[in-house]
Amino acid sequence: MAGLGWLAPDILAHLDDTSDFYLDQVAQVVMDRWSSGRAGLLGDAAFSSSPMSGQGTGLALVGAYVLAGELAAAEWDPGTGFARYESRMRSYVEANQEIGRLNARSRDVPRPDTEPLPDFAGEWFTELVGRAINGIELPDYAGAPDSAAPAGS
């Protein structure tokens, strides 16, 4: 915090004496896979785009729709349904996670050893935003079985 100026030195001088100071971090967990056996993750538990992406609720809603649809389309076979869900969602989720990381980096206090931010005017950024917004095609699961009970149960 050295060199920040403004009121930073005064604030720092009083932190040890305050009884109501709270500090936490904004973090993002990136997982290699979102399921194991019959257990699957959804929303922040799977995608962790972070509050810095602004996409937590949207990803959770899209993910719930796709997960339910892919499980139904796989006739409730978890291995097949989870694999299709992840395959359909992965690129879309990764783009939103990257938006969160870029937003967090853009708020960092610059230091001499900090990497400069990328040029957001580049075509790469337009492509990334496009994938984060429109990066998934939502299938029509109208013909999928509508019961969570496996056939023959």
Side-chain angles (χ1 to χ4, degrees), residues 33-41 67 71 74-83 148-151 153:
R33 58 185 218 193
W34 305 327
S35 66
S36 178
R38 297 183 58 82
L41 299 175
L67 177 57
L71 284 169
E75 297 183 3
W76 309 103
D77 173 57
T80 302
F82 287 148
S153 298

Side-chain angles (χ1 to χ4, degrees), residues 17-121:
D17 301 327
T18 185
S19 62
D20 61 353
F21 178 72
Y22 176 79
L23 176 68
D24 201 354
Q25 66 179 351
V26 174
Q28 183 181 76
V29 176
V30 177
M31 301 182 71
D32 293 334
R33 58 185 218 193
W34 305 327
S35 66
S36 178
R38 297 183 58 82
L41 299 175
L42 178 66
D44 285 346
F47 316 140
S48 187
S49 61
S50 101
M52 302 302 286
S53 77
Q55 293 298 323
T57 301
L59 285 171
L61 290 170
V62 170
Y65 175 81
V66 172
L67 177 57
E70 291 300 335
L71 284 169
E75 297 183 3
W76 309 103
D77 173 57
T80 302
F82 287 148
R84 289 179 184 170
Y85 153 69
E86 186 165 334
S87 175
R88 196 172 288 282
M89 292 286 297
R90 180 60 75 169
S91 177
Y92 176 58
V93 167
E94 287 174 347
N96 280 281
Q97 289 172 331
E98 182 63 19
I99 295 284
R101 287 189 294 271
L102 287 169
N103 190 12
R105 278 189 55 212
S106 74
R107 296 166 188 269
D108 281 350
V109 175
R111 296 183 316 243
D113 62 339
T114 304
E115 284 186 43
L117 284 173
D119 176 14
F120 291 109

